[in-house]
Amino acid sequence: LIEQPEISLRDGGTLPGSWYVDDEIFQREIENIFDRVWHYVGFRGHVSRPGDFLTTTVGLTPVVVTCGDDGVVRAFLNVCRHRGSEVVREPFGQRKTLQCHYHAWTYDLDGSLRKAPRSEDEEGFDPSAFGLRPIRIAFAGAWVFVTLNDEAPELDTLIGEMLPLMKDTSLDFDQLVFRERREYDMAANWKVVIENFLECYHCPTAHPSFTKLIDLDDYEMEIHDAFSTFNGPVTDAALQKNTYHVTDEDTSRQRLYNFAMWPNFMFNAYPGPGNVSTNLVIPINPNRTLAIYDFFFEPHVEDAAAGEIVDFIDLVQQEDIILCESVQKGMRSTRFGQGRLFVKSEFLIQNFDRQVEAAVSH
Ligand code: FES
Ligand SMILES: [Fe+2]
């Protein structure tokens, strides 16, 4: 039986503590949220040449995206039709075929089963019936998305408003060059991780360097249907000191832009030399979550500056991990009950929690 909030979410109540530890809630989230939404996979530039591939996990489902010899980008369940192993286990790269690491069933980049050892000895085996299962794919700017849901509305209809807002960053997303990936395995529920991202009420206490860089008195947050945005200018002090290579001259690069797409994908453009960091939050079990950060820069950005920005974002993330894991201890205590948001600062969390509540109760 699912615990219902005592203070309604409309009045600032949080989700009940049990929702962050319970297996039944977790399973409902996988089925009612992750199995239905458009889910971020990765950078379009990672699947631009024949043989390129990208993998991710949508809820609990492994997915692979390939660029075929015909240049067509396709998405499949990354689940072998033989006995169900993942076929590809690297995050991205180049391959001529997709050969399963278990018994070497080998699929073409278009998903068809090319060969399986000893298949000629197996009577009545029809390889054409055992290709990888295709799933829907769509693109939004530089990003690749997939969905397991045949009935999901077109991605464009959900994020139509987002692409013009991305222009505010004055970055050319198509020109971005991938620099590195960092992964963070956290002992916290995936919702704790997202909620932490959706407010900056904690920034003055928990992020001293961030607070020196971004003017928190001038921070703006906005809710759209399928995503939220929040952004703020750099502080005068940071401008004077050229913190993280922010300069007086380049007025287009003096703001932090954050985008958070329902349910688990965020991307940020920090002030200073052209940079974008993506943050994909992958639920593993009720008490464990993986955050995958990819760091991209405009081609002209020098290594030293890029490295400093990556380290800065990594530092903020390390500070956030401590917070999230600490919250999870409260959730696991079974004595938390329910929390109370300050809606003026935390209305993006309220909005997120209400979406979760609706999906889980459905
Ligand atoms: S599970 Fe993939 S070849 Fe056997
Ligand atoms: Fe934070």
Side-chain angles (χ1 to χ4, degrees):
L1 199 72
I2 291 175
E3 184 183 353
Q4 293 305 318
E6 237 165 75
I7 310 169
S8 92
L9 273 56
R10 196 182 299 271
D11 297 329
T14 66
L15 294 170
S18 59
W19 285 46
Y20 297 83
V21 296
D22 185 79
D23 289 320
E24 160 81 16
I25 296 276
F26 184 79
Q27 196 54 36
R28 286 195 188 201
E29 288 167 349
I30 295 297
E31 288 168 22
N32 295 354
I33 299 175
F34 289 90
D35 289 357
R36 293 188 187 179
V37 293
W38 281 102
H39 188 285
Y40 177 73
V41 185
F43 183 50
R44 197 171 182 165
H46 274 146
V47 279
S48 57
R49 293 162 308 147
D52 284 351
F53 69 85
L54 254 177
T55 62
T56 195
T57 308
V58 176
L60 301 178
T61 304
V63 162
V64 60
V65 171
T66 63
C67 179
D69 294 324
D70 52 5
V72 177
V73 180
R74 301 174 176 88
F76 306 97
L77 299 186
N78 183 19
V79 177
C80 185
R81 296 295 305 278
H82 175 220
R83 296 249 309 283
S85 163
E86 297 160 283
V87 177
V88 184
R89 296 195 308 149
E90 305 88 349
F92 45 80
Q94 255 281 324
R95 281 187 174 203
K96 294 235 175 333
T97 58
L98 307 180
Q99 182 174 82
C100 179
H101 65 115
Y102 200 167
H103 315 87
W105 281 33
T106 304
Y107 305 87
D108 278 320
L109 297 166
D110 68 2
S112 51
L113 180 61
R114 169 197 288 230
K115 60 174 193 272
R118 306 186 199 173
S119 63
E120 55 290 349
D121 303 338
E122 185 66 19
E123 250 171 70
F125 177 73
D126 174 12
S128 71
F130 288 91
L132 292 178
R133 292 200 163 91
I135 56 171
R136 291 172 70 194
I137 184 168
F139 306 95
W143 313 135
V144 183
F145 289 82
V146 296
T147 180
L148 305 177
N149 179 1
D150 290 336
E151 264 119 57
E154 296 297 326
L155 178 64
D156 290 352
T157 62
L158 296 177
I159 57 165
E161 294 162 70
M162 195 172 83
L163 298 178
L165 293 175
M166 285 164 72
K167 292 213 171 73
D168 290 351
T169 63
S170 74
L171 293 173
D172 183 354
F173 281 71
D174 293 324
Q175 292 302 310
L176 292 173
V177 179
F178 172 74
R179 180 184 167 90
E180 65 176 293
R181 167 171 290 195
R182 293 195 187 184
E183 296 192 350
Y184 306 90
D185 196 334
M186 292 180 262
N189 184 273
W190 72 278
K191 301 189 294 299
V192 170
V193 176
I194 304 280
E195 288 162 352
N196 172 68
F197 194 89
L198 291 178
E199 51 90 356
C200 213
Y201 181 29
H202 72 276
C203 294
T205 9
H207 300 308
S209 355
F210 180 90
T211 303
K212 279 189 194 126
L213 179 66
I214 304 298
D215 187 351
L216 299 175
D217 296 328
D218 217 353
Y219 206 70
E220 293 168 13
M221 306 196 278
E222 234 176 80
I223 295 175
H224 299 258
D225 283 344
F227 66 97
S228 329
T229 60
F230 28 115
N231 61 77
V234 290
T235 59
D236 292 338
L239 260 189
Q240 272 154 25
K241 287 192 204 133
N242 299 136
T243 313
Y244 299 107
H245 308 271
V246 177
T247 63
D248 273 338
E249 300 91 68
D250 192 353
T251 51
S252 70
R253 306 284 321 133
Q254 295 175 351
R255 259 186 118 71
L256 165 66
Y257 296 90
N258 294 118
F259 295 81
M261 287 181 64
W262 167 256
N264 65 334
F265 175 57
M266 279 82 63
F267 58 97
N268 325 297
Y270 270 79
N275 68 88
V276 171
S277 46
T278 60
N279 174 9
L280 179 64
V281 172
I282 298 188
I284 295 173
N285 65 39
N287 292 293
R288 192 173 155 212
T289 300
L290 184 68
I292 301 177
Y293 277 69
D294 282 340
F295 296 92
F296 303 89
F297 291 87
E298 288 184 327
H300 62 85
V301 180
E302 281 169 26
D303 265 8
E308 270 181 62
I309 292 172
V310 171
D311 287 343
F312 170 69
I313 295 170
D314 182 88
L315 169 72
V316 174
Q317 173 66 9
Q318 299 296 349
E319 290 163 350
D320 280 329
I321 291 174
I322 294 171
L323 305 175
C324 292
E325 295 192 337
S326 180
V327 166
Q328 191 67 15
K329 288 181 186 163
M331 300 301 126
R332 295 185 71 171
S333 72
T334 75
R335 292 294 185 274
F336 169 64
Q338 188 189 8
R340 172 67 158 83
L341 299 172
F342 280 177
V343 174
K344 270 207 179 114
S345 306
E346 297 176 298
F347 65 96
L348 297 186
I349 297 185
Q350 181 184 42
N351 180 59
F352 172 80
D353 284 1
R354 289 179 71 177
Q355 284 175 286
V356 172
E357 184 189 39
V360 166
S361 312
H362 190 66

